[in-house]
Short mmCIF file of all heavy atoms in Angstrom, two decimals:
data_model
loop_
_atom_site.label_atom_id
_atom_site.label_comp_id
_atom_site.label_asym_id
_atom_site.label_seq_id
_atom_site.Cartn_x
_atom_site.Cartn_y
_atom_site.Cartn_z
N GLN K 33 257.50 61.38 22.64
CA GLN K 33 257.86 62.38 23.66
C GLN K 33 258.92 63.32 23.07
O GLN K 33 259.79 62.89 22.32
CB GLN K 33 258.41 61.74 24.92
CG GLN K 33 257.39 61.07 25.77
CD GLN K 33 258.00 60.56 27.07
OE1 GLN K 33 259.14 60.20 27.12
NE2 GLN K 33 257.20 60.49 28.11
N PHE K 34 258.88 64.57 23.50
CA PHE K 34 259.87 65.54 23.07
C PHE K 34 260.48 66.20 24.30
O PHE K 34 259.81 66.36 25.32
CB PHE K 34 259.21 66.61 22.18
CG PHE K 34 258.70 66.04 20.89
CD1 PHE K 34 257.38 65.57 20.79
CD2 PHE K 34 259.51 65.95 19.80
CE1 PHE K 34 256.92 65.01 19.63
CE2 PHE K 34 259.06 65.38 18.62
CZ PHE K 34 257.76 64.92 18.55
N PHE K 36 262.56 69.23 26.22
CA PHE K 36 262.84 70.66 26.18
C PHE K 36 263.62 71.09 27.39
O PHE K 36 263.47 70.54 28.48
CB PHE K 36 261.52 71.48 26.19
CG PHE K 36 260.67 71.29 24.95
CD1 PHE K 36 259.65 70.39 24.93
CD2 PHE K 36 260.91 72.05 23.83
CE1 PHE K 36 258.88 70.19 23.81
CE2 PHE K 36 260.15 71.90 22.70
CZ PHE K 36 259.11 70.98 22.69
N VAL K 38 263.76 73.91 30.00
CA VAL K 38 262.75 74.88 30.44
C VAL K 38 263.32 75.73 31.57
O VAL K 38 264.38 75.43 32.13
CB VAL K 38 261.45 74.18 30.89
CG1 VAL K 38 260.81 73.42 29.75
CG2 VAL K 38 261.73 73.22 32.03
N ASN K 43 256.52 74.88 36.24
CA ASN K 43 255.89 73.65 36.72
C ASN K 43 255.20 72.94 35.53
O ASN K 43 255.19 73.44 34.43
CB ASN K 43 254.90 73.94 37.87
CG ASN K 43 253.79 74.83 37.47
OD1 ASN K 43 253.39 74.93 36.33
ND2 ASN K 43 253.27 75.58 38.45
N LYS K 44 254.66 71.76 35.80
CA LYS K 44 254.15 70.90 34.74
C LYS K 44 252.97 71.55 34.00
O LYS K 44 252.90 71.46 32.77
CB LYS K 44 253.71 69.55 35.32
CG LYS K 44 254.85 68.66 35.75
CD LYS K 44 254.31 67.35 36.27
CE LYS K 44 255.46 66.43 36.69
NZ LYS K 44 254.96 65.12 37.10
N THR K 45 252.05 72.16 34.69
CA THR K 45 250.89 72.75 34.04
C THR K 45 251.29 73.91 33.14
O THR K 45 250.75 74.08 32.07
CB THR K 45 249.85 73.20 35.05
OG1 THR K 45 250.44 74.10 35.98
CG2 THR K 45 249.27 72.03 35.80
N GLU K 46 252.25 74.73 33.59
CA GLU K 46 252.73 75.82 32.75
C GLU K 46 253.44 75.31 31.51
O GLU K 46 253.25 75.87 30.43
CB GLU K 46 253.69 76.73 33.56
CG GLU K 46 252.97 77.51 34.66
CD GLU K 46 253.97 78.27 35.50
OE1 GLU K 46 255.15 77.91 35.57
OE2 GLU K 46 253.55 79.27 36.12
N ILE K 47 254.23 74.28 31.67
CA ILE K 47 254.94 73.71 30.52
C ILE K 47 253.96 73.14 29.53
O ILE K 47 254.09 73.33 28.31
CB ILE K 47 255.93 72.63 31.00
CG1 ILE K 47 257.03 73.24 31.81
CG2 ILE K 47 256.53 71.88 29.79
CD1 ILE K 47 257.90 72.25 32.55
N LYS K 48 252.91 72.47 29.99
CA LYS K 48 251.90 71.90 29.12
C LYS K 48 251.18 73.01 28.34
O LYS K 48 251.06 72.93 27.12
CB LYS K 48 250.87 71.13 29.95
CG LYS K 48 249.74 70.55 29.13
CD LYS K 48 248.77 69.78 30.01
CE LYS K 48 247.61 69.26 29.18
NZ LYS K 48 246.70 68.47 29.96
N LYS K 49 250.79 74.09 29.02
CA LYS K 49 250.13 75.17 28.33
C LYS K 49 251.05 75.87 27.31
O LYS K 49 250.63 76.26 26.23
CB LYS K 49 249.60 76.19 29.34
CG LYS K 49 248.45 75.67 30.15
CD LYS K 49 247.97 76.69 31.16
CE LYS K 49 246.88 76.13 32.03
NZ LYS K 49 246.47 77.06 33.09
N VAL K 51 253.65 74.54 25.62
CA VAL K 51 253.85 73.69 24.44
C VAL K 51 252.57 73.70 23.56
O VAL K 51 252.67 73.79 22.32
CB VAL K 51 254.24 72.24 24.87
CG1 VAL K 51 254.21 71.32 23.67
CG2 VAL K 51 255.59 72.26 25.51
N GLU K 52 251.42 73.62 24.17
CA GLU K 52 250.17 73.60 23.40
C GLU K 52 249.98 74.93 22.66
O GLU K 52 249.50 74.96 21.53
CB GLU K 52 248.99 73.34 24.34
CG GLU K 52 248.91 71.91 24.77
CD GLU K 52 247.77 71.65 25.74
OE1 GLU K 52 247.22 72.62 26.32
OE2 GLU K 52 247.44 70.47 25.95
N VAL K 59 248.87 67.99 24.46
CA VAL K 59 249.80 67.34 25.31
C VAL K 59 249.11 66.31 26.20
O VAL K 59 248.09 66.65 26.84
CB VAL K 59 250.61 68.34 26.18
CG1 VAL K 59 251.52 67.64 27.16
CG2 VAL K 59 251.36 69.31 25.32
N ALA K 60 249.63 65.10 26.24
CA ALA K 60 249.05 64.05 27.08
C ALA K 60 249.60 64.15 28.50
O ALA K 60 248.86 64.07 29.47
CB ALA K 60 249.30 62.66 26.49
N SER K 61 250.93 64.25 28.63
CA SER K 61 251.54 64.33 29.98
C SER K 61 252.89 65.03 29.89
O SER K 61 253.48 65.18 28.82
CB SER K 61 251.74 62.91 30.56
OG SER K 61 252.65 62.20 29.76
N VAL K 62 253.38 65.45 31.07
CA VAL K 62 254.66 66.11 31.17
C VAL K 62 255.41 65.50 32.34
O VAL K 62 254.87 65.32 33.44
CB VAL K 62 254.48 67.64 31.41
CG1 VAL K 62 255.83 68.32 31.62
CG2 VAL K 62 253.74 68.27 30.27
N GLN K 63 256.68 65.16 32.11
CA GLN K 63 257.57 64.69 33.20
C GLN K 63 258.73 65.69 33.25
O GLN K 63 259.24 66.12 32.23
CB GLN K 63 258.10 63.31 32.91
CG GLN K 63 257.06 62.24 32.93
CD GLN K 63 257.62 60.86 32.57
OE1 GLN K 63 258.50 60.78 31.72
NE2 GLN K 63 257.10 59.86 33.19
N VAL K 64 259.13 66.04 34.50
CA VAL K 64 260.15 67.05 34.69
C VAL K 64 261.30 66.46 35.51
O VAL K 64 261.09 65.68 36.44
CB VAL K 64 259.55 68.26 35.43
CG1 VAL K 64 260.60 69.32 35.69
CG2 VAL K 64 258.41 68.85 34.64
N SER K 65 262.54 66.83 35.13
CA SER K 65 263.68 66.43 35.92
C SER K 65 264.66 67.60 36.03
O SER K 65 264.82 68.38 35.10
CB SER K 65 264.40 65.21 35.31
OG SER K 65 264.96 65.60 34.08
N LYS K 86 264.80 69.98 32.83
CA LYS K 86 264.46 69.30 31.57
C LYS K 86 263.01 68.77 31.66
O LYS K 86 262.61 68.26 32.70
CB LYS K 86 265.43 68.14 31.37
CG LYS K 86 265.30 67.41 30.07
CD LYS K 86 266.10 66.13 29.93
CE LYS K 86 267.42 66.05 30.59
NZ LYS K 86 268.16 64.85 30.26
N ALA K 87 262.27 68.92 30.58
CA ALA K 87 260.90 68.47 30.55
C ALA K 87 260.69 67.49 29.40
O ALA K 87 261.07 67.77 28.26
CB ALA K 87 259.94 69.65 30.38
N TYR K 88 260.12 66.33 29.71
CA TYR K 88 259.74 65.35 28.71
C TYR K 88 258.23 65.53 28.46
O TYR K 88 257.42 65.30 29.34
CB TYR K 88 260.01 63.91 29.22
CG TYR K 88 261.48 63.59 29.30
CD1 TYR K 88 262.19 63.83 30.47
CD2 TYR K 88 262.12 62.97 28.25
CE1 TYR K 88 263.54 63.49 30.56
CE2 TYR K 88 263.46 62.63 28.35
CZ TYR K 88 264.15 62.91 29.51
OH TYR K 88 265.49 62.58 29.59
N VAL K 89 257.89 65.93 27.27
CA VAL K 89 256.48 66.24 26.93
C VAL K 89 255.95 65.13 25.99
O VAL K 89 256.49 64.93 24.91
CB VAL K 89 256.36 67.62 26.22
CG1 VAL K 89 254.95 67.88 25.84
CG2 VAL K 89 256.93 68.69 27.13
N LYS K 90 254.92 64.44 26.44
CA LYS K 90 254.30 63.39 25.63
C LYS K 90 253.10 63.95 24.95
O LYS K 90 252.22 64.55 25.60
CB LYS K 90 253.93 62.19 26.51
CG LYS K 90 253.37 61.04 25.71
CD LYS K 90 253.22 59.79 26.54
CE LYS K 90 252.78 58.65 25.66
NZ LYS K 90 252.84 57.38 26.30
N LEU K 91 253.01 63.76 23.65
CA LEU K 91 251.88 64.26 22.86
C LEU K 91 250.82 63.20 22.69
O LEU K 91 251.10 62.00 22.74
CB LEU K 91 252.36 64.74 21.50
CG LEU K 91 253.43 65.80 21.49
CD1 LEU K 91 253.80 66.14 20.05
CD2 LEU K 91 252.99 67.04 22.22
#
Side-chain angles (χ1 to χ4, degrees):
Q33 285 185 331
F34 296 91
F36 293 96
V38 297
N43 60 28
K44 290 182 179 184
T45 56
E46 291 175 336
I47 295 168
K48 178 179 178 179
K49 289 178 184 177
V51 170
E52 287 177 344
V59 175
S61 65
V62 177
Q63 294 177 324
V64 178
S65 67
K86 186 189 324 187
Y88 290 88
V89 178
K90 183 170 186 169
L91 302 180

